[in-house]
Amino acid sequence: EHVRAPPPDGDPFDPSAQPVPVATVDAHLPVGAVLCVVHGVGASTATLSRNVAALQAAHATVMARVLPDVEFRTQLLVVHWRRALLGLRVHARLQALIPTAGGWDNGLRQFVSDKVADLHFYAQPTYRAVILREVAEQLNAQWGVFKARHPDFCGPVALYGHSLGSVISYELLAAQARLAEADGLAAAAAAATGGDGADAAPAGSVVPGPAPGGADRGALAAAPPATATAAPTLPPDAPPLPPSPESVLFPGDEFLRLDFTADTLFTVGSPLGQFLTLDATLSPVLASPERLPFRLYNYMHPNDPVALRVEPWVDPRYAVVPPVTAPHWQSMDTSSSSIPRWFGALLGGGRGGSDR
């Protein structure tokens, strides 16, 4: 099921290539920051391309009109994890369940099916691992291309997650925190056994063992069988043993290690609070804000039905504290909902608002 079939358009999938057109900062110009964009459910290549172009245009407008004297360039790295998801054979079987023969084509059903299917994929631990690993691989590949073009870059890196992409980004950064903790435990254990920890393999990494054939196989066959030994009994006043590096990791964390450090997460139109409340398998790293290894900014639009708060999940007292209005350059109309017009356009009943 996890073998990637050829994409629907027949093009080979290259995780190091930008999946959509993105303005690239020239190699001879300095880059001030890198923003990694992770999309939400049901994102097609056309929609993602349009929204990325709008994001870059908005950034350029703000810089030109609000900060005209500031020379600051932001490079986007855009992930298109859904394009890889479309290549899974099980996705084609899901599409076959949608009634289309005999004049049953329905734009609303297809629209909802695309979005609901992505949520169902992410709700299954097996496919959640596929999505998270895909995002990590694409980010690392694109980061390598960026660093080859800008080897002196040392600025901040942030993740920008929209809708389900915010949950994916949160889980990815939470995994980095667990990997860092496991690395620290591995280094401390190596130092305690006489080493300095410098040569210790990163926690969760695969350390090559002896080759499976030749003399190594014979030596293993001739070796006496291993015997289990009881753990030593500690004195009553002895301090507790430190946790093992593996004990702080979630299954699959070793495949999520990023080649860069991201210290900020922007969530936009995010259901993260709902996921944290309902899904006990998500990392509770946000439950301890004082130990949060990254900064989190949650942006909501008043008319966005998916956007939820996260503060009340951390502390219920925030439920009665209104959100802070963030300074903004331009926004959609906040006085009336555009959802009826948007659904009307989807059903063919008229023009809808912007989907940006």
Side-chain angles (χ1 to χ4, degrees):
E1 295 297 349
H2 308 147
V3 176
R4 184 180 292 151
D9 54 12
D11 295 334
F13 190 85
D14 180 6
S16 66
Q18 283 284 7
V20 299
V22 175
T24 301
V25 179
D26 291 340
H28 68 281
L29 296 175
V31 175
V34 171
L35 187 65
C36 305
V37 179
V38 183
H39 69 77
V41 296
S44 66
T45 300
T47 300
L48 184 58
S49 300
R50 187 166 60 250
N51 292 342
V52 167
L55 178 61
Q56 292 196 295
H59 179 272
T61 299
V62 171
M63 293 301 298
R65 298 187 180 184
V66 181
L67 302 169
D69 299 326
V70 176
E71 185 179 6
F72 189 88
R73 301 175 183 87
T74 300
Q75 179 62 64
L76 297 190
L77 304 182
V78 180
V79 168
H80 194 356
W81 55 264
R82 191 170 187 269
R83 186 174 185 269
L85 196 64
L86 295 176
L88 296 178
R89 294 191 179 99
V90 68
H91 191 277
R93 295 209 297 270
L94 287 176
Q95 290 296 304
L97 302 177
I98 302 174
T100 56
W104 277 64
D105 290 347
N106 185 296
L108 178 59
R109 181 188 289 118
Q110 183 68 53
F111 172 83
V112 173
S113 296
D114 285 343
K115 293 187 177 296
V116 171
D118 288 354
L119 289 172
H120 285 171
F121 272 118
Y122 200 74
Q124 300 298 319
T126 299
Y127 294 108
R128 176 185 296 181
V130 171
I131 293 173
L132 288 170
R133 184 170 180 176
E134 186 66 41
V135 172
E137 288 180 355
Q138 289 191 33
L139 286 177
N140 284 337
Q142 293 185 33
W143 174 259
V145 174
F146 166 76
K147 283 293 288 182
R149 193 168 59 247
H150 298 276
D152 297 328
F153 173 78
C154 58
V157 182
L159 265 62
Y160 177 100
H162 172 250
S163 183
L164 182 61
S166 66
V167 183
I168 296 171
S169 300
Y170 170 83
E171 287 216 66
L172 200 57
L173 291 186
Q176 306 315 300
R178 294 191 296 271
L179 286 164
E181 182 180 0
D183 289 347
L185 291 171
T193 56
D196 58 6
D199 297 328
S205 60
V206 179
V207 181
D216 288 333
R217 180 189 296 176
L220 289 174
T227 57
T229 57
T233 302
L234 298 176
D237 57 347
L241 292 174
S244 66
E246 292 75 16
S247 67
V248 301
L249 296 177
F250 283 13
D253 276 354
E254 64 272 19
F255 300 111
L256 305 182
R257 189 183 294 273
L258 296 177
D259 296 337
F260 55 89
T261 300
D263 59 6
T264 304
L265 170 60
F266 298 103
T267 59
V268 182
S270 172
L272 176 60
Q274 188 175 61
F275 274 76
L276 290 169
T277 302
L278 298 177
D279 190 346
T281 65
L282 261 67
S283 171
V285 63
L286 188 58
S288 302
E290 69 280 358
R291 298 180 56 196
L292 193 65
F294 51 87
R295 293 172 293 175
L296 190 153
Y297 298 90
N298 183 42
Y299 290 91
M300 303 176 295
H301 190 276
N303 295 338
D304 189 342
V306 178
L308 300 174
R309 304 182 70 178
V310 294
E311 312 96 299
W313 183 83
V314 177
D315 189 335
R317 292 175 295 181
Y318 279 107
V320 297
V321 179
V324 175
T325 300
H328 57 278
W329 174 253
Q330 185 177 4
S331 176
M332 294 186 295
D333 180 19
T334 61
S335 61
S336 62
S337 176
S338 60
I339 294 177
R341 292 186 289 107
W342 180 75
F343 267 108
L346 185 64
L347 297 174
R351 296 185 61 187
S354 169
D355 66 348
R356 292 181 289 182

